[in-house]
Amino acid sequence: MIRDGALKGWPVTGWRQERSEIRRDVVIVEEPLEIQVALRGEVSMEIFPISVTMRTPGHDEDLALGFLYTEALIPEPSVIAQGLSLERPSPNEIRVILPETVRIDRERLTRHFYMTSSCGVCGKAAIEAIFVQGYPPLPEEEPVIPIGLLCDLPRRLREAQALFRRTGGLHAAAIFDAEGRLLWLREDVGRHNAVDKAIGAALREGCLPLSRSLMLVSGRAGFEIAQKALRAGIPILAALGAPSSLTLELAQATGMTVVGFLQEDRANVYTAPWRVKMDFLASGDRP
């Protein structure tokens, strides 16, 4: 679905086959969003600005909830049903008001998170932080995805990417069930935002943990994306690009299956390969 405010017309001088022309192009909108957390007090609410992220407008509620959950500021999925609410102080602000039953260390609300690859934190400390935050245990034996189905998911992702077809300027994160049915798809200029939006959508619908699902991302599988998928209980993370070494170390430690360079005719399975059923190897159809 193409949301209002996600696209903008822009004049461009195009060059095609030795000819130039002036026309209007469609570009994706990028604007800041400040995510705030509000805690109810006896007299008034305490408001904590948590993060400012550059995002594509649309599904902002999913983005805020997904970000707060994957960063463990929403401790459990059940918080959604305990009276959590959202406010929009302005078009580029969203405030998540936590129910009084939720107890959060206020120091965590003022700390910086592991947001980028250049955060300066060593890999060991980053992985240990994931274990401290907690994550749903991944199922050891399932789901098992046939390699043919897995390799068909990039096509299904492209067909569902309405904004990318219009602009060519977006990342996507899609959550599929074990039979390859698309459950949630979100697009954004930021790869982490797309992941948070998809997980936030599942959280709002009460579907976490996603222990029978897999996530496909349109770019590379960096550590931050892997930890977000892990926090949502997703046992298989697939990417059109490459995984990082820290992603693979985290996956190895937790039993997550990581697939990289996924295309219609190829895939690299880096960790927990038992979740990918290699039928063609048994049949001898391919070397």
Side-chain angles (χ1 to χ4, degrees):
M1 179 186 298
I2 298 177
R3 294 297 185 100
D4 293 340
L7 300 176
K8 179 181 292 185
W10 197 269
V12 60
T13 300
W15 187 85
R16 300 289 188 277
Q17 297 180 347
E18 300 183 355
R19 297 179 58 186
S20 64
E21 61 177 358
I22 298 176
R23 55 185 173 81
R24 289 189 68 80
D25 198 4
V26 176
V27 297
I28 198 68
V29 172
E30 183 178 24
E31 291 182 351
L33 177 70
E34 180 176 280
I35 300 174
Q36 305 169 357
V37 167
L39 302 180
R40 300 181 189 273
E42 294 182 1
V43 178
S44 60
M45 287 193 300
E46 291 183 85
I47 299 172
F48 299 84
I50 298 298
S51 173
V52 176
T53 183
M54 303 302 295
R55 99 302 189 191
T56 302
H59 301 292
D60 288 343
E61 294 81 4
D62 293 340
L63 172 57
L65 292 177
F67 172 76
L68 293 177
Y69 180 77
T70 58
E71 295 294 341
L73 287 172
I74 293 178
E76 299 291 341
S78 59
V79 171
I80 301 297
Q82 295 175 18
L84 181 146
S85 60
L86 299 104
E87 290 183 351
R88 298 301 299 262
S90 74
N92 285 334
E93 292 178 300
I94 187 163
R95 182 175 300 160
V96 180
I97 304 173
L98 298 179
E100 296 179 3
T101 54
V102 176
R103 297 290 180 263
I104 289 184
D105 180 2
R106 281 165 169 73
E107 183 183 352
R108 289 218 66 223
L109 298 178
T110 58
R111 278 207 308 254
H112 291 96
F113 298 99
Y114 300 122
M115 289 296 292
T116 69
S117 302
S118 58
C119 65
V121 178
C122 74
K124 183 174 183 292
I127 291 177
E128 287 177 351
I130 302 303
F131 286 91
V132 170
Q133 290 177 359
Y135 63 92
L138 301 181
E140 294 184 3
E141 303 297 333
E142 56 180 12
V144 176
I145 308 297
I147 187 64
L149 173 59
L150 187 65
C151 287
D152 191 49
L153 296 185
R155 177 189 64 81
R156 303 183 191 192
L157 177 65
R158 287 194 304 271
E159 290 178 352
Q161 279 190 266
L163 283 175
F164 183 83
R165 287 198 301 273
R166 294 284 301 277
T167 67
L170 286 168
H171 291 283
I175 299 174
F176 295 88
D177 67 12
E179 286 70 45
R181 289 183 289 265
L182 179 62
L183 302 177
W184 298 277
L185 168 70
R186 295 293 184 265
E187 299 177 87
D188 198 278
V189 289
R191 61 171 63 90
H192 306 103
N193 292 343
V195 171
D196 281 335
K197 285 181 176 182
I199 293 174
L203 178 63
R204 293 180 73 188
E205 295 184 26
C207 296
L208 266 59
L210 295 165
S211 57
R212 290 277 303 161
S213 304
L214 65 93
M215 174 175 282
L216 173 61
V217 295
S218 58
R220 63 182 181 86
F223 171 76
E224 300 92 340
I225 288 176
Q227 68 92 6
K228 290 175 184 294
L230 183 65
R231 175 83 175 138
I234 297 172
I236 302 175
L237 173 62
L240 303 187
S244 70
S245 63
L246 194 55
T247 290
L248 299 182
E249 290 172 22
L250 176 63
Q252 193 74 38
T254 59
M256 172 187 281
T257 300
V258 173
V259 181
F261 298 106
L262 181 63
Q263 301 294 332
E264 285 82 353
D265 60 348
R266 67 195 64 188
N268 289 349
V269 183
Y270 291 87
T271 57
W274 57 84
R275 292 198 184 94
V276 180
K277 186 178 181 182
M278 303 288 190
D279 286 337
F280 64 83
L281 293 178
S283 66
D285 292 338
R286 298 187 187 183

